[in-house]
């Protein structure tokens, strides 16, 4: 065995090949997990931008979406209001979004939306918690 190792050590190409195989085998599970994270995050990348609800100028600005679906977003009506929850999830090929407001007379109001890639819009239902009413709405991309 020592003779074989000495022979391999004298052959740089063989040594490098073996090291690449050993190191690749040893770290590949971590790389696979990182690839999944990048793939998941990029799957939500289409959501990044500013979206306007045409029936009143309400704006949702999506700055980013983490691989686990947490949305970094802001809302304006026209004054800024914070989302208490902002989440994205996938159901097959469909991207679903959920936003909840807990401020400024909107306590418990929600948007439940689905991204429509053909029209590049967010469609769904706005639940106005104070009035206890639901509205079919959509947001169009403005940038």
């Amino acid at each position: 065995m020592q003779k074989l190792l000495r022979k391999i050590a004298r052959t740089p190409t063989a040594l490098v090949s073996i090291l690449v195989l050993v190191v690749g085998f040893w770290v590949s599970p971590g790389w696979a997990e990182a690839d999944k994270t990048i793939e998941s995050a990029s799957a939500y990348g289409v959501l990044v931008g500013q979206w306007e609800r045409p029936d009143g100028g309400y704006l949702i600005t999506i700055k980013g979406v983490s691989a686990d679906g947490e949305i970094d977003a802001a809302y304006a009506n026209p004054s800024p209001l914070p989302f208490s929850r902002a989440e994205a999830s996938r159901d097959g090929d469909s991207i679903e979004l959920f936003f909840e407001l807990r401020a400024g007379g909107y306590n418990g109001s929600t948007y439940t939306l689905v991204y429509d890639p053909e029209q590049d819009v967010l469609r769904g239902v706005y639940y106005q918690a104070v009035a206890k009413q639901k509205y079919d709405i959509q947001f169009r991309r403005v940038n």
Side-chain angles (χ1 to χ4, degrees), residues 38-102:
I38 292 167
E39 187 178 301
S40 295
S42 66
Y44 294 122
V46 70
L47 301 174
V48 174
Q50 194 168 50
W51 301 85
E52 180 181 35
R53 200 173 115 188
D55 64 333
Y58 310 105
L59 291 174
I60 294 176
T61 302
I62 298 177
K63 299 171 192 164
V65 184
S66 69
D68 66 353
E70 186 176 333
I71 301 173
D72 179 7
Y75 183 69
N77 176 16
S79 301
L81 292 169
F83 287 120
S84 63
R85 264 176 74 193
E87 303 166 347
S89 61
R90 295 193 63 87
D91 183 11
D93 290 338
S94 179
I95 299 175
E96 300 174 350
L97 300 93
F98 180 82
F99 299 97
E100 182 176 8
L101 295 161
R102 288 263 173 212

Side-chain angles (χ1 to χ4, degrees), residues 50-60 75-76 111 113 120-124 136-142:
Q50 194 168 50
W51 301 85
E52 180 181 35
R53 200 173 115 188
D55 64 333
Y58 310 105
L59 291 174
I60 294 176
Y75 183 69
Y111 284 104
L113 307 169
D120 195 31
V121 297
L122 303 175
R123 283 201 172 92
D136 290 330
I137 53 87
Q138 75 174 10
F139 284 84
R140 294 186 301 220
R141 186 187 303 272
V142 290

Side-chain angles (χ1 to χ4, degrees), residues 1-10:
M1 178 72 158
Q2 287 180 349
K3 283 184 182 181
L4 178 62
L5 289 176
R6 272 188 250 138
K7 198 173 202 179
I8 290 172
R10 282 187 240 138

